[in-house]
Amino acid sequence: MSEDEGQGRAYPIVRLKPKAEARAIRHGFPWVYADELVTDRRTQGLEPGALAVLEDSERRPLGLVTVNVKSKIIARMLDRDCEAVLDRAWFEARLSRALAHRARLYPDPYYRLVHAESDGLPGVVIDRFGDVAVVQPNAAWAEGHLSDLVAALVSLTGVATVIKNGSGRSRGLEGLAEEVVVIHGHAPNGPIPVPMNGATYMADLMGGQKTGLFFDQRDNHAFAARLAQGASVLDVFSHVGGFALAALAGGAARALAVDASAAALGLAGQGATASGFDSRFATRQGDAFDVLEALGTEGLRFDLVICDPPAFAPAKPALEAGLRAYERIARLAAPLVAPGGYLVLCSCSHAADLHAFRNASARGVGRGGRRGQIIHTGFAGPDHPVLPQLAESSYLKALTFRLDG
């Protein structure tokens, strides 16, 4: 930061190093990594989440950023207007644009309302469950502006309750503490029923995984349901019944949900009851790899098998191990598919791109003694928009194989 350039300006200035790629930022890339920014004494002294004007190495302004010198992503672009003020009106403008898109897509207010950088709110995730919203402020700047964000959210949507879910790996990387608290209204009395794809899911918004439910798989659930008429279904890493309940709504004869979490399977069972699927739904608790091996030993076969694991490759250092895990899942799952049946394999690891994941899955299917076609490739739903300049925003892949005899 220069000693004199910031005189008379509302915000301090931070500057890119000469070798940093300013063109990418001008074209929409929203991040500056720690090794790309000049980190002199003044920059080092900025509080995590502080606002600053970003300039290129020739002192040309690029926009208003938030700075966290404790993070590998040292700056995040907030606004191309270097004089923007992050008040309630600023948040209302961003949220209004996000809300208009979701309202056009979904007749009922159950969706991801804000998908971080893709919706112009870096590090912020908001999922809406009727009159309850769950906010994940995963970046220091969002934590510091939470009151204005929540006020804008309540004003625009009319939600009665806002829950702050301050948990997860991202907050740790930003130096933020973990907590789950109600910051507006009152905590739900219990799990929230969520209608989706003809089924009712039960979401634990205070104690469940992430925000309580994964809206990103909605369209992939719907596609799998089209294959499920009269089928026997195995849903591995089922969480609260994801693919299983959608398949039952699509006419599946029976569905077995597998997960390591007894609490998640309990919610899945509640969802099955609320949906009227009790007699066709069963659960099996245990490690997914162990259960897949056991089902193979038992000689069971299913018309439709889905494996939707957590991120095995959440970052590049874990990529090789993650791809081996995806391959192993495919190898264990493929023999469980009846001749002519379907296998759905999913990855939410942004470090494993579609090409790498598809290759690992195909190797696993082959090692499992099966051959087949890929008939469909799915991604996150349109309430999880992709920022074209940010590969990390396109994280979810779902491959549907039709296997031979």
Side-chain angles (χ1 to χ4, degrees), residues 3 12 28 58 71 100 106 137 184 187 228 276 285 289 362 376 385 391:
E3 294 288 328
E58 297 181 5
S71 174
Y106 304 107
H184 175 80
Q285 184 188 358
F289 293 97
H376 182 72

Side-chain angles (χ1 to χ4, degrees), residues 371-397:
R371 298 291 184 271
Q373 315 148 297
I374 294 178
I375 64 162
H376 182 72
T377 301
F379 303 95
D383 54 344
H384 291 64
V386 172
L387 187 65
Q389 299 85 358
L390 187 65
E392 287 83 352
S393 64
S394 178
Y395 63 97
L396 182 65
K397 289 81 62 178

Side-chain angles (χ1 to χ4, degrees), residues 32-323:
V32 178
Y33 295 105
D35 61 356
E36 296 178 315
L37 198 71
V38 176
T39 50
D40 59 15
R41 175 175 54 83
R42 286 191 178 186
T43 301
Q44 289 285 356
L46 293 175
E47 291 293 318
L51 305 182
V53 172
L54 176 67
E55 294 183 344
D56 65 16
S57 61
E58 297 181 5
R59 302 188 178 186
R60 292 173 297 197
L62 296 169
L64 182 66
V65 297
T66 173
V67 179
N68 186 352
V69 296
K70 297 181 179 180
S71 174
K72 290 182 179 179
I73 303 172
I74 196 170
R76 300 169 186 259
M77 183 63 67
L78 291 173
D79 203 306
R80 298 292 164 177
D81 179 0
C82 296
E83 298 180 358
V85 177
L86 269 65
D87 55 11
R88 175 172 165 176
W90 186 89
F91 282 102
E92 285 182 347
R94 297 292 166 107
L95 292 174
S96 292
R97 187 173 187 273
L99 181 60
H101 170 59
R102 278 69 178 188
R104 184 176 293 273
L105 288 168
Y106 304 107
D108 300 313
Y110 298 90
Y111 42 67
R112 172 148 295 182
L113 175 57
V114 169
H115 193 48
E117 278 79 354
S118 296
D119 282 303
L121 292 169
V124 178
V125 167
I126 303 177
D127 282 348
R128 186 174 180 186
F129 302 88
D131 64 355
V132 181
V134 181
V135 179
Q136 289 185 300
N138 293 327
W141 80 274
E143 188 78 19
H145 291 83
L146 194 57
S147 60
D148 280 333
L149 170 60
V150 171
L153 174 65
V154 172
S155 174
L156 284 171
T157 65
V159 293
T161 298
V162 179
I163 299 167
K164 171 188 169 183
N165 185 316
S167 62
R169 175 174 175 270
S170 298
R171 284 180 64 86
L173 295 175
E174 286 277 311
L176 300 172
E178 294 200 7
E179 62 175 355
V180 178
V181 294
V182 175
I183 53 179
H184 175 80
H186 302 283
N189 293 326
I192 297 288
V194 178
M196 193 161 56
N197 287 321
T200 298
Y201 294 83
M202 303 303 295
D204 181 0
L205 306 188
M206 295 296 295
Q209 190 176 352
K210 295 291 182 71
T211 63
L213 190 73
F214 299 114
F215 285 124
D216 55 359
Q217 287 280 25
R218 183 192 326 238
D219 289 0
N220 297 321
H221 290 167
F223 182 79
R226 293 170 60 189
L227 307 174
Q229 180 67 43
S232 56
V233 177
L234 173 65
D235 180 11
V236 186
F237 304 98
S238 183
H239 191 226
V240 298
F243 281 92
L245 296 184
L248 289 169
R254 58 187 176 88
L256 174 62
V258 175
D259 203 274
S261 169
L265 289 178
L267 290 169
Q270 292 179 40
T273 298
S275 303
F277 302 152
D278 298 67
S279 62
R280 295 183 284 146
F281 181 75
T283 64
R284 187 156 173 172
Q285 184 188 358
D287 175 82
F289 293 97
D290 293 342
V291 173
L292 285 170
E293 289 182 344
L295 292 172
T297 300
E298 295 166 21
L300 294 179
R301 297 293 181 269
F302 302 84
D303 302 305
L304 174 61
V305 175
I306 307 104
C307 296
D308 182 19
F312 287 146
K316 287 183 179 180
L319 178 58
E320 292 305 316
L323 291 175

Side-chain angles (χ1 to χ4, degrees), residues 325-386:
Y326 288 123
E327 180 179 334
R328 185 184 175 201
I329 285 286
R331 175 176 62 83
L332 293 173
L336 301 178
V337 179
Y342 298 92
L343 173 62
V344 181
L345 300 172
C346 305
S347 166
C348 59
S349 298
H350 68 76
D353 64 19
L354 176 60
H355 178 75
F357 174 60
R358 186 171 54 213
N359 285 349
S361 298
R363 282 195 304 272
V365 169
R367 290 185 62 201
R370 304 298 294 276
R371 298 291 184 271
Q373 315 148 297
I374 294 178
I375 64 162
H376 182 72
T377 301
F379 303 95
D383 54 344
H384 291 64
V386 172

